[in-house]
Amino acid sequence: MADEGLVIFDCDGVLVDSEAISKRVSYEMAAEELGFEPSPREIEELDRLNLGRSDDDIFDELATRLGLNVTVGFMVRLSIRKTEEYAKG
């Protein structure tokens, strides 16, 4: 076997089920800081549309569509909180 010199590890969803934690934290923070509280039906639709997309893309679209004030600070806090939650679970 040839020495390829490159290994790619993709643990997200394989070794760590981060999707559920990521969604929960995103919805909690969107409600707390942005006043965005979608209905269960809206959450189902958002989950379907945003599967596999980055937080930046998701919140950029929400900001554009709904006029939410999504700041860099919010995105940093979101990232930190998700990391903390991943460590717990």
Side-chain angles (χ1 to χ4, degrees):
M1 181 151 89
D3 181 11
E4 300 299 326
L6 176 68
V7 177
I8 298 174
F9 292 95
D10 181 7
C11 297
D12 187 33
V14 177
L15 299 177
V16 179
D17 185 10
S18 60
E19 189 74 22
I21 295 169
S22 178
K23 288 190 300 188
R24 178 180 53 80
V25 171
S26 293
Y27 290 127
E28 286 173 358
M29 286 193 61
E32 292 166 8
E33 296 194 28
L34 305 176
F36 178 63
E37 299 186 50
S39 69
R41 186 174 185 180
E42 290 169 320
I43 287 174
E44 184 178 302
E45 180 70 6
L46 288 168
D47 288 350
R48 187 183 65 75
L49 292 173
N50 293 318
L51 183 64
R53 294 180 67 203
S54 72
D55 287 339
D56 288 338
D57 288 345
I58 293 168
F59 280 96
D60 280 348
E61 184 173 336
L62 288 175
T64 301
R65 281 184 165 189
L66 304 174
L68 300 177
N69 185 22
V70 180
T71 65
V72 172
F74 172 83
M75 296 305 294
V76 169
R77 289 187 300 280
L78 178 64
S79 178
I80 291 168
R81 188 153 155 198
K82 283 184 177 186
T83 301
E84 291 170 349
E85 291 298 313
Y86 297 148
K88 290 179 190 176

